[in-house]
Amino acid sequence: MLTIKNLHARVEQKNILNNLNLAIKPGEVHAIMGPNGAGKSTLGYVLSGREGYEVLDGQVDFQGQDLLEMETEDRARHGLFLAFQYPVEIPGVSNMEFMKESVNAMRQHRGEEPLTAAEFLKKAKEACKQVQLPLDFLKRGVNEGFSGGEKKRNEIMQMILLEPTLCILDESDSGLDVDALQVVANGVNSQRDGKRSFIVITHYQRLLDYIEPDFVHILANGKVVKSGDASLAKQIEQEGYAFLGLDTSEEASA
Amino acid sequence: MSAWLQQVIERGQGIDDWLSPARARALDALSNTSWPTRCTESWKYTSLTALEQLDLTAESAEQPSTVEPIPGVDGLDLVFKNGVLQTDLAQLNLPAGLQITSVQTTSAVQQVIATTLFSQIKPKHHLFGLVNDALAGDVLFIDIEQNSHIGQPIRIISLSTGGHESHHRVLVRLGNQAKATLIEQALGQQNSLSTGFTECDLGEQAELEHYRLAMHTGEAIYFGGCHFCLHHHANLNSTLIGYGSQLSRTDIDIIHNGEHAKAKLNAVYLLGESEHFDLHSTIEHAKPNGTTEENVRGIVGDKANAVFNGRIHIHRDAQKTLAELNNRNLLLSRRGQINTKPELEIYADDVQCAHGATVAEIEEEALYYLMSRGISRSKALVMLNYGFIQELINQMPNQQLAQWLEPQLRARFKEMEVR
Ligand SMILES: Nc1ncnc2c1ncn2[C@@H]1O[C@H](COP(=O)(O)OP(=O)(O)OP(=O)(O)O)[C@@H](O)[C@H]1O
Ligand SMILES: [Mg+2]
């Protein structure tokens, strides 16, 4: 599904990813944990092709294609989905219009007819229900004035509607109440079908109680410093990152 | 005296009808007017060179775009082509309480009323308003009797085609408690010059829903004006949509001439290529307890040039006025230009006023967010641009008209270059 080799990337002259390696097979769930500023979100941005995130070295193969050569929108159309740590507010563009355009962009890519407004509304209503957002959230501006938890649910709703093959969830659990955590986890689990893969970025073991990972990776100073199974997350929950003996000073990553 | 103005005066002197006394005053004013230059405050950012160099000898074979119906809007259509009224007023099936006449058919009784409007509501300082006073041929007079509620929107379309100069004028009187909707649409692309001025008098508690679609583009030079006088408790809701051409300007004046009047003015201008659009608005609060809410949004791409000057003048007696003016701009291109100047002049002490103007760029983060969901960059830009003005479009009381406009406005963004 996704193979990242020797990835080096920088933002604003600052090297953030340093020789990052990761391989994900279809159907797998990989959790990525790691200290603040380790480069977890950066990895998501680099994979989705955000402007300003410059790849210095390395390869990323996504379903047999060179991901780094693709435009942002093409990566999405090929099935890559990033649930943002901080979803963007876009007043003036309704959530409905936004999601309809994106669903139809995917359909067009697959050679399917665009959904009519009525067809889309039906799907959107179901998705809304699934993440327990009231229907009037479809009419509101994209994330405009949404609470932190509502934004996260909105991301999961998009994931459900877009049916991606690789989902990167960047702290989709942070700022959520217990019920919302359940909603997000159910949203993810409902999309697990043995083929779809997930990268779940989180700080807390708690989410992994609901979404069981096949692998847990620790990202620090821009690279994967340790990988293991679900028990690694439990160990971190108890002991923190100290046992890894990391040098988290700035110089170490420079 | 410019040569152009000179020939206007000469032509104006040749017109003889019942408006002649008022036209003579305009001619008089014109002969005392000096031609605007860059030093003339109200023309600081709008050059008249294009008008001076306008060549009307090439008459285009282009047929004027036919008048499209607006789905869901059963309008009473009045069509001007190059300033000449095409609609046979005698054939119109008008609802009770509404009379529409042109300068030839206005009865003597109505002439008296029309004379109180013509060049009376529109301030004297508008150069092209004076030109229109002098030259407007088929002056249209729309008279709505008091207490009459005219449900059917009155739609006035003025088309200009290549090689023509035209001047059209509309006078509207809403009697006390009358209600009406007026949609004014002005179109043209080819080398042409047109002026279109409208004066509306809103009687006590009268309500007017007004739209001015200033859609001249390309080579078509346009000078437009909408001037409103609001009496006691009158209510005006006006929306302006402005495109740009090589030279396009619209002046709006709203005078609160009675207490408790309410004015809402939403304006949107969308400019690309090397288009120019200049909007000057003046709100005069002459009486107490008036309310004005003015929202102006503009999007400027390519090498286009937008000028906005919004003035709110609160006279000494206009206590308890509530007035707000907001101008927000989105500048899509480094080569584009926006000159915006909101002005508040307050002479009363017990008022609430606010004004502000901003110029912003497209947010890269929003663009990225949309693209990360598979939406192409160009489509995402159209969505963000439209999103910027959508709020004002959504506020249009006539949503059928808004829906008809939407694809046209979106299509304009497609042609705008971003960078
Ligand atoms: N635009 C930028 N300019 C400068 N530095 C940046 C920029 N974006 C990210 N960084 C830096 O890159 C580092 C990695 O950031 P990133 O957001 O990827 O961390 P993270 O692992 O997601 O952290 P957290 O757990 O707090 O979300 C941080 O030190 C951050 O300050
Ligand atoms: Mg992060």
Side-chain angles (χ1 to χ4, degrees), chain A residues 48 77 82 92 101 155 158, chain B residues 368-369 373-374 379 390:
Chain A
S48 81
R77 290 171 191 172
L82 171 66
E101 285 301 334
E155 295 291 290
Q158 292 165 44
Chain B
Y368 163 61
Y369 190 63
R373 299 304 185 242
K379 185 101 172 221
Q390 173 141 283

Side-chain angles (χ1 to χ4, degrees), chain B residues 281-334:
Chain B
S281 70
T282 300
I283 319 288
E284 299 279 355
H285 279 273
K287 293 281 155 66
N289 294 304
T291 307
T292 294
E293 189 193 324
E294 179 175 353
N295 279 298
V296 180
R297 293 211 188 157
I299 303 185
V300 176
D302 305 322
K303 287 178 287 181
N305 201 335
V307 182
F308 172 65
N309 187 290
R311 181 166 166 258
I312 296 185
H313 179 190
I314 301 176
H315 297 229
R316 218 178 51 199
D317 293 338
Q319 299 296 357
K320 307 270 182 212
T321 292
L322 272 176
E324 257 178 54
L325 164 61
N326 187 283
N327 173 228
R328 286 174 56 191
N329 296 281
L330 198 55
L331 184 59
L332 302 182
S333 151
R334 294 203 182 97

Side-chain angles (χ1 to χ4, degrees), chain A residues 41 85 170-171:
Chain A
S41 294
Q85 181 174 2
D170 191 356
E171 299 200 22

Side-chain angles (χ1 to χ4, degrees), chain B residues 20-37:
Chain B
S20 290
R23 295 188 196 271
R25 286 193 294 274
L27 289 172
D28 213 38
L30 279 176
S31 49
N32 292 314
T33 302
S34 50
W35 191 243
T37 64

Side-chain angles (χ1 to χ4, degrees), chain A residues 37 39-42 85-86 170-171 201 203:
Chain A
K40 302 182 296 297
S41 294
T42 302
Q85 181 174 2
Y86 304 109
D170 191 356
E171 299 200 22
I201 298 170
H203 284 295

Side-chain angles (χ1 to χ4, degrees), chain B residues 30-204:
Chain B
L30 279 176
S31 49
N32 292 314
T33 302
S34 50
W35 191 243
T37 64
R38 291 273 154 152
C39 302
T40 314
E41 186 57 32
S42 62
W43 292 95
K44 201 168 170 183
Y45 302 107
T46 296
S47 152
L48 291 173
T49 311
L51 173 63
E52 288 156 8
Q53 294 173 350
L54 178 68
D55 179 5
L56 292 178
T57 51
E59 191 164 333
S60 72
E62 168 221 34
Q63 291 297 309
S65 33
T66 45
V67 175
E68 255 187 274
I70 303 172
V73 178
D74 173 27
L76 195 68
D77 289 359
L78 302 160
V79 182
F80 284 92
K81 184 182 159 193
N82 296 321
V84 181
L85 186 64
Q86 308 290 301
T87 312
D88 183 355
L89 296 177
Q91 296 297 314
L92 287 178
N93 188 8
L94 298 180
L98 172 64
Q99 287 193 60
I100 303 180
T101 53
S102 83
V103 75
Q104 294 86 4
T105 58
T106 310
S107 68
V109 178
Q110 285 201 305
Q111 286 177 16
V112 176
I113 302 167
T115 313
T116 65
L117 307 176
F118 187 86
S119 201
Q120 297 298 317
I121 296 173
K122 174 173 66 58
K124 308 275 183 279
H125 56 79
H126 297 308
L127 172 61
F128 291 92
L130 293 170
V131 169
N132 189 281
D133 285 350
L135 298 180
D138 279 335
V139 175
L140 205 61
F141 178 37
I142 299 174
D143 192 13
I144 300 151
E145 232 173 78
Q146 62 176 4
N147 295 314
S148 298
H149 296 179
I150 310 299
Q152 195 177 18
I154 302 162
R155 182 182 177 205
I156 301 171
I157 300 135
S158 63
L159 307 164
S160 359
T161 64
H164 288 274
E165 175 179 336
S166 62
H167 306 276
H168 91 274
R169 182 61 157 269
V170 179
L171 307 173
V172 182
R173 184 187 72 143
L174 281 104
N176 294 346
Q177 280 117 36
K179 273 190 200 174
T181 299
L182 180 65
I183 303 171
E184 302 186 277
Q185 188 184 1
L187 297 162
Q189 293 173 347
Q190 248 70 28
N191 58 319
S192 58
L193 163 65
S194 51
T195 70
F197 285 77
T198 298
E199 291 172 282
C200 300
D201 191 63
L202 279 71
E204 293 182 4

